[in-house]
C-alpha cells in the first residue's frame, strides 16, 4: 500500500500549486543553503536513450528539441518540444526520444539548513519539500529558459569562481521563473502516460496483489480506458502482461531453486498453487513439476561440455511475447515448436527413467483404468440446441481482444448487467451481484430459477457455463476466461445504446436489442413530454447524498445523473454544471455551509442515508421548505442496466409529477 501511495503522489504531477504552497516553497529556498554541484549537457538520441539514471542529488532537467518520454521513478511523462522536470536525490531518470535528438541540460544541486533557521525550516519542510518534489511542465517562455540553461552551462564550464557564482545566480533566476509560472497558472503540466507507467508499476510489483482499478485511479481514468491504452501500446492486456511477469518468475524459481510449488506460486504473485498449475497447463501444456524435471534434465545435458551457455533470459524469455496475425499476442514465442521440444525432452527423460528403474514408464505416473471403468459426465444441453450450440460459434471484438462465443449460448452467467440480458429475452443460468429489494423486483420473475452465486472462478465453474458476461470484477477476467468464453463489458465507458447493441451481438439478439432500445427511447420521450406538460422541463435538479457535514453532489457521470441530465435533458444549477458536470466529475464533495449555492428547484436524495432534517442550513433550502424532494434508494441509484433504468425513470418522473401538483 505504501508503494501504491507513492505512485499516486508521483502520478499527481499535474497538480496545481496553491499560492500558499508557492509562498512556503519560496521561503524554504530563501532560507536554505544551496550548493550548485554541477551543470551538464547531453544530446540524447532515440537509439541511445538515457535509462534508469539514479540521480545523485536534487536536479532540474530541461529537455528540448523533440518529442520524448521522460520517466521519473514509476511515472512516465509525455513531452512534445520543451519540458522542465524536477526530482529529488535517488530518483530514477529515463529519457527516450521518439524520433529526433533531444538536447538535455542537467543541473545538480544540494540544499542544507543553516543552524539558526534549522527548526523553523524543518517546520516548513513538513508542509512541502521543494528539494525532493517531483513535477514536470512546459514553461511559459521556453526560449528564455533555454538561454538561462545555456548561460549557466557556459559559466560553470569556465571553472572560475566568479563565473560559477554567475551560474548559481542563473539557478536562482530559474527557480524564481518556475514559481512565477506556477503562480500564473497558465502552464501545461506534463501528463503521465498511463500505459507506460502501469507497465513500470507491474514490473516492480507483480509479486504483490494487483487491482487494476487502483492503477487506473492514479491517472483519473477508468479500468476499461487503461486496459485499452495498455493493449494498444503493448499488444496485450494488463492481465496478460501481469501473468507473463509472474510466469517468468515462476520459471526461474522452478529451474534454479529447491522451493516447493506452493512456495513458488506465492512468491511469484499467484493466488495459490492451483492458479500456477492452470497457467502452466494453458501456456506450457504441462505441470510445473514436469517443467522442473525437463529443465533439470536439460541442464544436466548442457553440463557435459565446457562450452559457454546463454543466460536464462537470453534462452528462455527473450521472445516470450510475439505479435502475429492481426496484432494478436502469443506467449512463449512459437508454441507449437516449443511443445515439440518439450515432448521430445519428456520422452527422453521417461526413457532414461525406464532404463534405470526397470519399471514401465507412464506419462502421469499412474496406471490408466480399464476402458469399461471410465465414465465421463457431460453437462446437460437441451437436445434441440445441442448440435447448434457446440458446432457454431461467432467472434466478438472486445476491449480484451477477439473472443469466440457460442452462436446460441444455453448456459449464461452474468455478474452485474442482469437487466440487460433479461431484457433481451435470455434467462441467465447464474447471476451474481443481484441486489435485493427494488432492483431485484424489476426482473425478479425472470430470474426466480437462476442460481445466485459469487463471481469467483470456483463457484462459476460448478455451473459449467458456455458464456460468461462480466462487467464488474475485471480482475477475475483471466481466470473466468479459462472456464468458458468470457465477455468483459466496460459499461462505464459505453452509452446505453452502445451497451445494449454490444450485448445483443454477444447473445446473437440484434433484433431484440433494437426493439428494447426503441421501447426505452419511447419511454424517455413520453417522460420528457409529461414533465413538459407539468411545467417541469425548465426547473433545475440537484441530486446527491446529503449529511450534516459533507454532501456528495452527483454529476452527469453518475448513473442517475446520466439519466436526468443527459437522457431526460433536465437542467442542473449553474454551480453544479460548472464545478461538477463540466469538470467531468462523478461526485463533488460540498460542505453544508456552501450547499445552498448548489441547490436546484428540486432535490433527488440518493442512497439510504438519512436527510439531515434538523440542520439549520438544510431547513433553509427552498426545495426542503416546499417539500420538493425525490428519494431514490441505493438499489435503484447504483444500477445501470436498462430494465432498472426504465424503472428509475418511472419512479423519478412519477414523484416529480406528484410534487408538482
Amino acid at each position: 500500500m505504501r508503494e501504491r501511495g507513492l505512485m499516486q503522489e508521483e502520478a499527481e504531477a499535474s497538480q496545481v500549486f496553491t499560492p500558499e504552497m508557492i509562498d512556503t516553497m519560496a521561503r524554504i529556498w530563501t532560507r536554505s543553503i544551496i550548493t550548485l554541484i554541477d551543470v551538464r549537457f547531453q544530446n540524447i538520441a532515440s537509439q541511445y536513450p538515457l535509462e534508469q539514471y539514479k540521480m545523485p542529488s536534487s536536479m532540474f532537467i530541461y529537455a528540448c528539441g523533440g518529442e520524448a518520454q521522460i520517466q521519473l521513478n514509476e511515472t512516465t511523462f509525455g513531452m512534445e518540444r520543451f519540458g522542465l522536470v524536477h526530482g529529488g536525490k535517488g530518483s530514477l531518470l529515463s529519457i527516450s526520444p521518439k524520433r529526433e535528438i533531444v538536447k538535455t541540460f542537467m543541473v545538480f544541486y544540494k540544499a542544507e539548513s543553516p543552524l539558526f533557521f534549522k527548526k523553523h525550516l524543518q517546520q516548513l519542510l513538513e508542509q512541502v519539500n521543494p528539494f525532493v518534489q517531483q513535477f514536470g511542465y512546459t514553461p511559459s517562455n521556453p526560449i528564455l529558459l533555454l538561454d538561462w540553461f545555456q548561460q549557466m552551462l557556459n559559466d560553470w564550464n569556465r571553472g572560475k569562481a566568479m563565473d560559477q557564482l554567475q551560474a548559481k545566480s542563473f539557478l536562482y533566476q530559474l527557480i524564481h521563473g518556475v514559481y512565477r509560472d506556477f503562480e500564473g497558472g497558465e502552464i501545461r503540466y506534463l501528463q503521465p502516460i498511463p500505459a507506460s507507467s502501469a507497465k513500470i508499476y507491474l514490473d516492480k510489483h507483480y509479486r504483490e496483489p494487483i487491482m487494476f482499478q487502483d492503477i487506473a485511479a492514479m491517472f483519473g481514468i477508468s479500468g476499461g480506458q487503461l486496459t485499452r491504452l495498455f493493449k494498444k501500446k503493448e499488444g496485450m492486456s494488463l492481465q496478460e502482461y501481469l501473468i507473463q511477469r509472474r510466469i517468468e518468475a515462476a520459471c526461474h524459481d522452478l529451474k534454479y531453486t529447491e522451493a516447493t510449488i506452493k512456495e513458488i506460486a506465492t512468491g511469484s504473485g499467484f493466488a495459490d498453487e492451483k492458479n500456477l498449475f492452470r497457467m502452466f497447463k494453458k501456456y506450457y501444456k504441462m505441470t510445473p513439476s514436469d517443467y522442473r524435471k525437463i529443465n533439470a534434465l536439460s541442464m544436466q545435458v548442457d553440463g557435459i561440455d565446457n562450452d559457454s551457455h546463454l543466460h536464462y533470459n537470453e534462452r528462455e524469455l527473450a521472445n516470450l511475447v510475439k505479435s502475429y496475425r492481426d496484432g494478436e499476442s502469443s506467449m512463449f514465442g512459437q508454441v507449437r515448436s516449443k511443445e515439440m521440444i518439450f515432448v521430445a525432452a519428456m520422452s527422453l527423460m521417461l526413457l532414461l527413467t525406464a532404463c534405470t528403474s526397470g519399471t514401465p514408464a507412464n506419462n502421469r505416473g499412474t496406471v490408466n483404468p480399464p476402458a469399461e471403468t471410465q465414465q465421463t459426465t457431460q453437462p446437460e444441453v437441451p437436445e434441440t440446441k445441442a448440435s447448434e450450440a457446440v458446432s457454431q460459434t461467432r467472434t466478438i471484438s472486445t476491449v480484451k481482444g477477439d473472443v469466440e462465443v457460442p452462436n446460441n449460448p444455453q448456459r449464461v452467467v452474468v455478474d452485474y448487467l442482469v437487466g440487460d440480458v433479461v431484457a433481451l429475452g435470455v434467462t441467465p443460468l447464474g447471476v451474481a451481484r443481484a441486489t435485493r429489494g427494488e432492483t431485484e423486483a424489476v426482473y425478479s420473475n425472470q430470474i426466480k430459477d437462476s442460481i445466485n452465486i459469487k463471481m469467483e472462478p470456483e463457484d462459476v465453474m460448478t455451473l459449467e457455463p458456455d458464456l460468461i458476461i462480466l462487467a464488474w470484477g475485471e480482475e477475475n477476467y483471466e481466470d473466468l476466461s479459462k472456464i468458458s468464453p468470457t465477455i468483459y463489458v466496460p459499461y462505464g465507458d459505453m452509452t446505453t445504446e452502445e451497451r445494449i447493441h454490444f450485448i445483443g451481438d454477444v447473445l446473437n439478439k440484434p433484433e431484440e436489442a433494437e426493439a428494447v432500445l426503441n421501447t426505452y427511447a419511447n419511454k424517455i420521450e413520453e417522460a420528457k413530454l409529461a414533465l413538459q406538460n407539468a411545467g417541469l422541463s425548465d426547473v433545475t435538479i440537484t441530486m446527491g447524498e446529503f449529511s450534516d457535514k459533507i454532501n456528495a453532489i452527483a454529476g452527469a457521470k453518475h448513473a442517475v445523473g446520466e439519466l436526468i441530465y443527459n437522457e431526460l435533458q433536465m437542467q442542473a444549477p449553474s454551480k453544479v454544471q460548472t464545478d461538477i458536470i463540466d469538470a467531468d466529475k462523478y461526485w463533488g464533495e460540498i460542505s453544508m455551509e456552501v450547499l445552498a449555492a448548489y441547490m436546484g428547484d428540486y432535490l433527488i436524495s440518493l442512497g439510504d442515508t438519512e436527510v439531515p432534517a434538523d440542520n439549520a442550513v438544510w431547513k433553509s433550502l427552498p426545495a426542503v421548505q416546499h417539500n420538493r424532494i425525490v428519494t431514490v434508494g441505493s438499489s435503484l441509484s447504483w444500477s445501470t442496466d436498462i430494465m432498472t433504468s426504465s424503472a428509475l425513470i418511472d419512479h423519478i418522473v412519477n414523484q416529480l409529477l406528484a410534487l408538482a401538483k
Side-chain angles (χ1 to χ4, degrees):
M1 290 301 293
R2 180 177 176 276
E3 292 284 357
R4 186 174 295 149
L6 290 174
M7 187 180 177
Q8 176 81 55
E9 292 175 7
E10 291 168 3
E12 290 174 352
S14 60
Q15 63 180 302
V16 175
F17 291 95
T18 64
E20 293 78 15
M21 289 175 62
I22 296 170
D23 183 72
T24 300
M25 292 188 293
R27 289 176 185 272
I28 293 171
W29 275 101
T30 303
R31 298 177 182 181
S32 299
I33 299 174
I34 306 299
T35 303
L36 181 57
I37 299 174
D38 197 4
V39 182
R40 301 177 190 173
F41 173 81
Q42 182 178 354
N43 281 319
I44 300 177
S46 57
Q47 61 267 39
Y48 302 110
L50 179 68
E51 295 182 330
Q52 297 290 292
Y53 172 69
K54 189 171 184 179
M55 292 160 51
S57 68
S58 297
M59 288 176 59
F60 283 99
I61 303 100
Y62 191 52
C64 57
E67 189 177 357
Q69 285 188 8
I70 303 176
Q71 179 188 324
L72 267 180
N73 295 328
E74 294 181 350
T75 304
T76 302
F77 304 101
M79 185 197 83
E80 292 180 1
R81 285 185 51 76
F82 299 93
L84 178 66
V85 174
H86 180 273
K89 179 180 179 180
S91 298
L92 296 177
L93 172 68
S94 298
I95 301 177
S96 303
K98 287 291 184 69
R99 287 176 294 274
E100 309 90 342
I101 289 176
V102 171
K103 299 178 180 179
T104 307
F105 295 87
M106 298 181 182
V107 176
F108 303 75
Y109 73 91
K110 181 174 67 173
E112 297 174 296
S113 302
L115 290 176
F116 51 88
F117 271 141
K118 192 166 187 178
K119 184 175 180 181
H120 179 63
L121 274 178
Q122 191 59 43
Q123 292 173 344
L124 293 177
L125 288 168
E126 289 174 359
Q127 300 176 40
V128 57
N129 188 338
F131 310 126
V132 299
Q133 198 170 46
Q134 178 175 308
F135 61 79
Y137 81 102
T138 300
S140 60
N141 192 337
I143 303 304
L144 176 62
L145 257 69
L146 177 60
D147 183 57
W148 284 350
F149 275 99
Q150 187 64 60
Q151 292 190 59
M152 198 185 313
L153 177 69
N154 294 341
D155 289 334
W156 183 261
N157 286 339
R158 290 191 186 101
K160 295 183 179 180
M162 288 297 290
D163 291 322
Q164 293 193 344
L165 179 60
Q166 178 73 12
K168 187 172 181 179
S169 73
F170 278 115
L171 172 61
Y172 280 105
Q173 288 187 59
L174 169 66
I175 296 161
H176 182 263
V178 168
Y179 287 177
R180 281 297 186 198
D181 276 347
F182 291 164
E183 197 173 46
E186 299 299 324
I187 58 177
R188 184 176 65 82
Y189 291 94
L190 301 183
Q191 295 298 315
I193 302 175
S196 298
S197 298
K199 182 179 179 181
I200 295 167
Y201 185 82
L202 293 179
D203 285 341
K204 187 173 181 180
H205 300 284
Y206 65 89
R207 296 178 185 271
E208 306 166 14
I210 299 289
M211 293 290 289
F212 296 137
Q213 190 59 47
D214 289 348
I215 301 177
M218 297 171 188
F219 307 104
I221 60 177
S222 69
Q225 285 176 298
L226 179 60
T227 295
R228 287 195 295 275
L229 291 171
F230 191 89
K231 187 161 189 178
K232 182 178 180 180
K233 187 176 188 304
E234 300 296 332
M236 69 182 78
S237 70
L238 285 159
Q239 186 71 32
E240 289 169 336
Y241 185 77
L242 178 59
I243 290 174
Q244 168 191 317
R245 298 295 288 115
R246 288 173 172 173
I247 289 184
E248 288 178 20
C251 287
H252 181 274
D253 291 344
L254 286 167
K255 287 183 68 173
Y256 296 108
T257 75
E258 300 296 325
T260 65
I261 304 298
K262 184 176 182 179
E263 290 168 343
I264 290 173
T266 303
S268 304
F270 290 101
D272 50 37
E273 190 176 357
K274 293 180 180 177
N275 194 250
L276 175 61
F277 181 88
R278 285 197 297 270
M279 292 300 102
F280 260 82
K281 291 290 288 183
K282 177 177 181 179
Y283 295 115
Y284 273 149
K285 313 302 179 187
M286 62 172 57
T287 67
S289 297
D290 291 341
Y291 177 89
R292 171 174 266 173
K293 292 174 184 176
I294 290 172
N295 281 281
L297 175 63
S298 174
M299 291 174 70
Q300 291 174 12
V301 173
D302 287 345
I304 293 174
D305 58 57
N306 292 320
D307 293 340
S308 61
H309 302 291
L310 293 172
H311 293 298
Y312 173 76
N313 282 340
E314 295 177 79
R315 180 164 58 192
E316 285 296 329
L317 299 176
N319 296 304
L320 262 177
V321 180
K322 291 187 177 180
S323 180
Y324 67 104
R325 290 202 289 272
D326 298 323
E328 182 181 353
S329 296
S330 169
M331 294 187 71
F332 308 108
Q334 300 298 321
V335 175
R336 184 174 301 174
S337 61
K338 202 78 170 176
E339 289 177 16
M340 294 174 66
I341 295 171
F342 285 155
V343 170
M346 178 63 87
S347 299
L348 176 60
M349 181 189 72
L350 294 174
L351 178 60
L352 292 173
T353 304
C355 292
T356 57
S357 65
T359 58
N362 184 287
N363 280 346
R364 290 293 175 201
T366 59
V367 179
N368 292 329
E372 61 269 21
T373 66
Q374 299 184 37
Q375 295 181 357
T376 302
T377 303
Q378 299 290 344
E380 294 182 6
V381 178
E383 292 183 5
T384 56
K385 297 286 185 178
S387 60
E388 188 176 10
V390 172
S391 62
Q392 297 184 19
T393 60
R394 294 170 296 114
T395 300
I396 301 294
S397 295
T398 78
V399 295
K400 300 287 189 181
D402 289 347
V403 179
E404 197 171 82
V405 301
N407 217 16
N408 292 286
Q410 303 297 307
R411 304 172 67 86
V412 180
V413 172
V414 189
D415 79 326
Y416 184 61
L417 300 172
V418 178
D420 289 348
V421 173
V422 169
L424 294 172
V426 174
T427 301
L429 169 66
V431 297
R433 307 188 66 85
T435 55
R436 301 294 173 188
E438 295 173 82
T439 300
E440 188 175 352
V442 173
Y443 42 75
S444 58
N445 288 335
Q446 290 91 334
I447 65 169
K448 63 180 185 296
D449 295 326
S450 300
I451 301 171
N452 200 337
I453 61 169
K454 293 181 180 179
M455 209 64 180
E456 299 294 335
E458 292 76 11
D459 296 327
V460 174
M461 191 181 301
T462 62
L463 298 184
E464 298 180 340
D466 58 7
L467 178 66
I468 300 170
I469 297 179
L470 183 69
W472 189 275
E474 185 181 1
E475 65 275 7
N476 287 331
Y477 175 84
E478 193 68 26
D479 288 336
L480 292 174
S481 64
K482 298 177 182 62
I483 298 171
S484 67
T486 301
I487 298 293
Y488 177 69
V489 184
Y491 66 95
D493 300 327
M494 306 174 93
T495 65
T496 300
E497 183 176 1
E498 290 171 341
R499 194 183 70 246
I500 294 301
H501 276 308
F502 177 66
I503 296 178
D505 289 341
V506 171
L507 296 172
N508 203 10
K509 301 277 187 179
E511 295 178 1
E512 290 84 346
E514 197 64 41
V516 167
L517 287 171
N518 287 337
T519 301
Y520 186 67
N522 291 336
K523 177 181 283 290
I524 290 174
E525 291 304 316
E526 291 171 1
K528 288 163 64 176
L529 181 60
L531 293 170
Q532 181 180 349
N533 292 337
L536 295 173
S537 56
D538 294 326
V539 301
T540 55
I541 303 287
T542 299
M543 64 193 73
E545 296 181 359
F546 305 100
S547 68
D548 287 317
K549 296 181 180 179
I550 296 296
N551 302 278
I553 307 300
K557 296 186 74 172
H558 188 282
V560 183
E562 163 76 16
L563 189 149
I564 292 295
Y565 297 134
N566 294 342
E567 297 189 348
L568 293 180
Q569 297 180 339
M570 302 196 75
Q571 304 299 310
S574 59
K575 287 285 285 181
V576 174
Q577 183 68 43
T578 56
D579 294 0
I580 301 173
I581 297 176
D582 292 345
D584 203 30
K585 294 181 180 178
Y586 189 89
W587 292 108
E589 291 191 349
I590 308 300
S591 66
M592 183 60 72
E593 289 75 17
V594 298
L595 183 60
Y598 293 83
M599 283 298 101
D601 300 317
Y602 286 79
L603 300 183
I604 298 180
S605 178
L606 305 174
D608 299 320
T609 56
E610 293 186 8
V611 175
D614 297 331
N615 186 284
V617 176
W618 179 260
K619 290 192 294 184
S620 69
L621 301 174
V624 175
Q625 292 176 347
H626 295 92
N627 193 30
R628 295 172 180 165
I629 302 176
V630 174
T631 58
V632 177
S634 59
S635 54
L636 275 177
S637 64
W638 286 102
S639 298
T640 57
D641 67 78
I642 198 164
M643 291 187 72
T644 305
S645 294
S646 296
L648 188 57
I649 292 173
D650 292 337
H651 177 80
I652 291 176
V653 171
N654 289 338
Q655 284 201 50
L656 286 173
L657 295 176
L659 293 174
K661 292 180 181 179

